Amino acid sequence: MSRRTQRGRWWAWGVQVALLAALAALLWWFAGNAVEALRARGIQAGFDFLAQPAGFEIGEGPLETDATQPLWRAFLAGLLNTLRVALPAIVLTTVLGVLLGIGRLAPHRLLSSLCGAYVEAVRNVPLLVQLLMAYFLVTHFLPSADEAWQVGQGLFLSKSGLSFPWPMWAQEGSGLWPVWEWPEKSTFNVSGGAAVTPEYLAVCWALVTYTAAFVAEAVRAGIQAVPIGQRQAALSLGLRPLQALRWVVFPQALRIMVPSLTNQYLNLLKNSTLAVVVGYPDLVSVSNTVLNQTGRAFECIAILMAVYLSLSLVTSALMNVYNARVALRGVR
């Protein structure tokens, strides 16, 4: 790399850092003026309320919170619950969306028609309606806990949620070792292992099935954008159709799909805010409870905006890095 190119790169980075610092200063000035304006009108303002006792409990998620712990811990528990449903939903959405997108291009007429009907039906029904329907199905059609369905090895499904094996730390000899704890069905319920609530199942189900319809269209468009000669050349070399798709067509289509996939992941992350309608204690639900208790509307909304903006920027940055790696592989 020449010295002139290196100076240009440092200059570009310096400009970006300066713009970011100026934006942060502008936001800080705006927040300070807003707080002062609220205080001038006799409205309590500031984020000191985060140290107050929460006054409510959050019993679901990786970070349980009781009424005596501070409000900032309740917000953190809500954030973790948001990530707890959004991250697995992104993975499952990608898998289902890729399968549906490939299925739409299958030569089998029945398979392609079914995948097309799924996409057209799901993406044209509002997500809120699908979420309420999923919650209704989970809470009304599944059996009670004492009659839970065993849907796999160590998996039990009922109105109480889904129970599954989970690693636990156990004392063995001179140290702690991970041991799998398996759920067991008893006379009244299912005990052992780990479990997720019906609210979590409904939210994850709705997010996956809804977003997968849009991911399927991105996959289909990406595959069709690859010149047909690429597939024909792969077949002429002796590759089978699935091998040609996996090793030749799909890697090229991926470079086209990544920007659309990024948009869908961002939509899924923001759509997870609808979890509040079924009572799942995500960040929005916690914020609403805190707002009703403290009356700090500006602060609660500001926290929501800052958190979701940060999550969206991190998601976009990670996908941009992946997009750059895919593009570099294509150039090589």
Side-chain angles (χ1 to χ4, degrees):
M1 181 185 299
S2 65
R3 185 173 301 177
R4 182 176 180 179
T5 303
Q6 189 174 8
R7 284 200 302 268
R9 179 169 296 183
W10 280 107
W11 172 256
W13 276 104
V15 171
Q16 295 183 53
V17 171
L19 289 175
L20 183 61
L23 179 60
L26 179 63
L27 292 176
W28 183 265
W29 174 83
F30 175 78
N33 283 351
V35 170
E36 291 298 328
L38 291 174
R39 288 176 176 173
R41 290 171 172 79
I43 302 175
Q44 289 185 338
F47 294 92
D48 54 325
F49 72 99
L50 294 175
Q52 299 175 5
F56 60 93
E57 298 180 355
I58 302 177
E60 180 177 358
L63 184 64
E64 297 184 358
T65 303
D66 58 42
T68 62
Q69 293 175 330
L71 285 173
W72 66 262
R73 184 181 174 91
F75 275 106
L76 179 59
L79 171 60
L80 294 178
N81 281 342
T82 295
L83 297 176
R84 178 172 171 253
V85 72
L87 296 181
I90 288 176
V91 176
L92 295 175
T93 292
T94 304
V95 174
L96 180 58
V98 169
L99 293 178
L100 288 171
I102 295 175
R104 290 207 65 183
L105 301 174
H108 195 288
R109 179 62 64 88
L110 178 60
L111 177 59
S112 61
S113 299
L114 289 175
C115 292
Y118 174 92
V119 170
E120 294 301 328
V122 171
R123 70 176 182 170
N124 288 298
V125 177
L127 176 57
L128 179 59
V129 176
Q130 297 186 40
L131 175 57
L132 294 174
M133 180 60 68
Y135 186 66
F136 175 79
L137 293 175
V138 170
T139 55
H140 286 77
F141 285 91
L142 290 180
S144 57
D146 58 333
E147 299 178 351
W149 293 340
Q150 185 170 358
V151 295
Q153 183 64 31
L155 298 176
F156 293 92
L157 185 62
S158 68
K159 291 182 179 179
S160 299
L162 176 66
S163 299
F164 50 90
W166 192 256
M168 306 290 290
W169 292 100
Q171 183 73 35
E172 293 185 5
S174 58
L176 294 175
W177 299 89
V179 177
W180 285 94
E181 183 181 16
W182 293 76
E184 296 180 356
K185 183 179 178 182
S186 61
T187 305
F188 301 103
N189 56 15
V190 178
S191 59
V196 292
T197 62
E199 290 79 14
Y200 177 92
L201 289 178
V203 173
C204 191
W205 176 4
L207 289 175
V208 170
T209 55
Y210 180 77
T211 314
F214 295 90
V215 172
E217 286 298 276
V219 172
R220 180 187 62 82
I223 293 176
Q224 289 183 325
V226 177
I228 189 64
Q230 296 290 323
R231 181 176 183 275
Q232 294 174 346
L235 295 176
S236 67
L237 293 174
L239 294 181
R240 297 178 179 178
L242 287 180
Q243 291 176 329
L245 176 64
R246 177 181 179 184
W247 299 111
V248 178
V249 177
F250 196 81
Q252 298 181 67
L254 189 60
R255 300 199 301 270
I256 305 172
M257 291 187 284
V258 168
S260 297
L261 292 179
T262 302
N263 290 335
Q264 298 309 320
Y265 294 159
L266 293 175
N267 288 336
L268 186 150
L269 184 62
K270 291 179 286 188
N271 287 337
S272 66
T273 57
L274 293 176
V276 66
V277 303
V278 296
Y280 180 70
D282 70 331
L283 184 62
V284 175
S285 176
V286 172
S287 179
N288 287 341
T289 303
V290 174
L291 191 154
N292 291 331
Q293 286 188 353
T294 63
R296 303 291 184 91
F298 174 81
E299 291 83 350
C300 291
I301 295 175
I303 291 174
L304 283 179
M305 293 178 60
V307 169
Y308 280 100
L309 176 61
S310 300
L311 292 178
S312 297
L313 292 177
V314 170
T315 303
S316 298
L318 293 176
M319 292 302 294
N320 287 337
V321 171
Y322 180 72
N323 189 28
R325 293 186 61 184
V326 173
L328 287 174
R329 289 178 183 177
V331 172
R332 293 176 186 175

